[in-house]
Amino acid sequence: MNNLSAQAIIAATARRDAAAVPSTAATLPVTRAMFDELMVRCYAPADFVPVRGEGSRVWDQDGKMYIDFAAGVAVTSLGHCHPAMVRALTEQACTLWHVSNWFTNEPALRLAQRLVDHTFAERAFFCNSGAEANEAALKLARRYAHDRHGKHKSRVISTLNAFHGRTLFTVTAGGQAKYAEGFGPNPAGFTHIPYNDVAALEREFAAHGAEICAVILEPMQGEGGMTPGTPAFLQAARRLCTAHGALLILDEIQSGMGRTGALFSYMQKGVVPDILTSAKGLGGGFPVGAMLTTSEIASVFGVGVHGTTYGGNPLACAVAGAVFDVINTTEVLDGVKARHALYIEGLKAINARRRVFCDLRGEGVWLGCELDAPWKGRAMDVVRAAAAAGLMVLVAGPDVVRLAPSLVISLDEILEGLARLETALGQALA
Ligand SMILES: *Cc1c(COP(=O)(O)O)cnc(C)c1O
């Protein structure tokens, strides 16, 4: 290649010519069947393909409209395409996408400032998902105990039915054997106790207190069946951790960012963690995770001890900053409590007519409807019937229909969605 042609090639490829690049949307029509042919089949997605969303409404390829009571899985907390998020993302998209952690960036620092100003935390670590936030939290707790107390202090207490993510460390922390089986050898040093069992927690600490470096808990178990943590259990965990020099990690990946009507759910439970993890609602649909902690604990993560390529990415942090500013207002947080009341009222009315639920529970816009004895194991049937009726809902285990809508879902959408849920219940459980 002579010098001239090299210069021509460089000039051509450096051109910012969007028109020369065909849009993939125009060139590649897709169908749901392609999922089964092309994708690793660790999911079983619904038989329609969502293509567009606005607020709490989603449309599929055929133009059918769905009311969204799922919000991803408690992710799109401001609904789809919220104007504040679209603005933050597009402004940042025209400014700076990525520089790596060899440089810091303004959106990341602004997000960290907000999180530190409004929580117990003094330091933030950013990553890309919930599992990564918990991975960082568990590594930090191990390293802290290692540096302050010695190698023997490495045991982690977690709870049965807990969900903390899908990395090998976090599935092992989780309390559902089926997610951790077949990947062995798994990381060692975990003990699972029943959730909300204060006596079991006390026994563990009495027997092994010197070896325990952390307790990791969800303030309410989401994936595990929508089981609220009792204040007594969470407070016992706090007290025992403090007494034995262990760290309390609260996994607020699903419970946080306004979902329960507080910025983070620990604020309503009278328990302050040493480490808090956030993701899901933090980015409102843009992948981002955070681990929050104190300066003292964070100090054991020196330069090079932990890291990730994308953590603190400007696009993610710009979106999360916009999400934070909308959610962290009394109007939105009080609105969550008002919506809770409306949901419970509507669900009770449905149940008075249909008698399908034996329990309605949850906090804020995070609700679990447990199916009564004749319909145990049928929550997934309700999800499918709901899709047919134009409603997106979730399960939390085989027996619980889970609702986790946008924090700012409209009154009309709540009422319309509840009507569709009633139709679906009639169809699924006839
Ligand atoms: C979803 C979830 C996770 C995992 O988050 P990912 O972003 O899927 O890795 C961890 N903990 C809790 C409580 C969750 O709900």
Side-chain angles (χ1 to χ4, degrees):
M1 186 181 303
N2 67 34
N3 218 9
L4 255 183
S5 67
Q7 283 176 14
I9 290 167
I10 290 167
T13 51
R15 231 178 16 213
R16 300 184 193 177
D17 192 351
V21 183
S23 151
T24 50
T27 55
L28 188 62
V30 293
T31 62
R32 167 64 180 78
M34 289 167 71
F35 179 91
D36 298 328
E37 290 156 24
L38 297 171
M39 305 291 272
V40 173
R41 295 182 67 180
C42 52
Y43 309 107
D47 60 10
F48 64 94
V49 180
V51 293
R52 186 167 69 83
E54 192 184 320
S56 288
R57 289 161 199 249
V58 171
W59 287 265
D60 71 12
Q61 290 178 310
D62 300 326
K64 176 174 166 182
M65 188 273 280
Y66 301 78
I67 301 285
D68 189 359
F69 278 6
V73 178
V75 168
T76 53
S77 289
L78 295 179
H80 299 276
C81 301
H82 188 286
M85 295 170 68
V86 171
R87 190 177 62 218
L89 181 61
T90 50
E91 280 180 9
Q92 191 60 42
C94 300
T95 308
L96 185 70
W97 282 36
H98 182 78
V99 290
S100 90
N101 284 305
W102 292 99
F103 310 89
T104 188
N105 69 77
E106 293 182 348
L109 296 174
R110 288 196 191 103
L111 180 60
Q113 186 72 63
R114 288 171 171 100
L115 290 165
V116 163
D117 284 349
H118 294 279
T119 69
F120 76 97
E122 297 159 333
R123 303 264 163 183
F125 171 82
F126 293 126
C127 51
N128 315 292
S129 69
E132 279 181 47
N134 282 336
E135 185 83 17
L138 292 165
K139 281 181 71 181
L140 180 62
R142 282 255 175 104
R143 188 62 179 249
Y144 181 78
H146 172 276
D147 291 6
R148 294 284 192 275
H149 303 280
K151 270 216 292 266
H152 65 283
K153 200 171 177 65
S154 62
R155 183 153 289 278
V156 176
I157 307 296
S158 67
T159 57
L160 297 170
N161 274 327
F163 185 77
H164 297 299
R166 298 295 201 122
T167 65
L168 196 51
F169 207 8
T170 56
V171 276
T172 308
Q176 291 180 277
K178 63 171 198 262
Y179 291 151
E181 270 163 17
F183 299 110
N186 291 37
F190 284 88
T191 304
H192 296 89
I193 62 160
Y195 193 62
N196 283 337
D197 188 338
V198 175
L201 194 60
E202 282 172 342
R203 273 199 305 276
E204 256 333 292
F205 271 98
H208 308 288
E211 291 141 47
I212 297 171
C213 71
V215 174
I216 182 166
L217 296 174
E218 297 158 271
M220 167 151 96
Q221 288 189 333
E223 304 300 310
M226 298 297 285
T227 311
T230 61
F233 182 63
L234 298 171
Q235 285 161 18
R238 176 65 283 172
R239 174 170 49 79
L240 290 162
C241 281
T242 304
H244 294 266
L247 301 183
L248 178 62
I249 304 170
L250 285 186
D251 177 345
E252 292 239 29
I253 288 161
Q254 196 160 157
S255 60
M257 289 308 295
R259 185 141 297 276
T260 65
L263 180 61
F264 287 101
S265 149
Y266 81 84
M267 296 167 176
Q268 298 166 313
K269 305 264 180 178
V271 167
V272 179
D274 299 299
I275 303 176
L276 180 147
T277 52
S278 179
K280 292 205 167 100
L282 180 64
F286 201 97
V288 60
M291 177 189 72
L292 307 178
T293 189
T294 64
S295 295
E296 208 267 316
I297 297 166
S299 68
V300 301
F301 265 17
V303 174
V305 173
H306 189 62
T308 158
T309 295
Y310 285 119
N313 172 279
L315 292 169
C317 292
V319 175
V323 171
F324 188 98
D325 289 344
V326 176
I327 288 179
N328 193 36
T329 55
T330 32
E331 303 88 86
V332 169
L333 296 174
D334 286 351
V336 168
K337 293 174 198 141
R339 285 168 178 80
H340 175 86
L342 192 66
Y343 267 105
I344 292 291
E345 191 184 304
L347 290 166
K348 279 188 175 155
I350 291 174
N351 210 30
R353 292 187 289 268
R354 303 248 166 211
R355 308 213 163 280
V356 287
F357 303 128
C358 60
D359 192 23
L360 297 170
R361 55 179 181 259
E363 295 163 9
V365 285
W366 199 28
L367 301 147
C369 315
E370 184 169 348
L371 294 172
D372 207 351
W375 300 288
K376 288 284 184 232
R378 302 273 301 276
M380 210 42 226
D381 294 344
V382 176
V383 168
R384 277 187 284 266
L391 176 70
M392 296 157 109
V393 291
L394 303 163
V395 299
D399 305 332
V400 176
V401 178
R402 173 174 34 160
L403 313 183
S406 155
L407 277 51
V408 295
I409 185 171
S410 73
L411 181 62
D412 284 354
E413 287 160 342
I414 295 175
L415 297 177
E416 178 61 30
L418 286 171
R420 292 178 183 202
L421 180 62
E422 186 160 6
T423 305
L425 289 166
Q427 230 112 72
L429 309 178

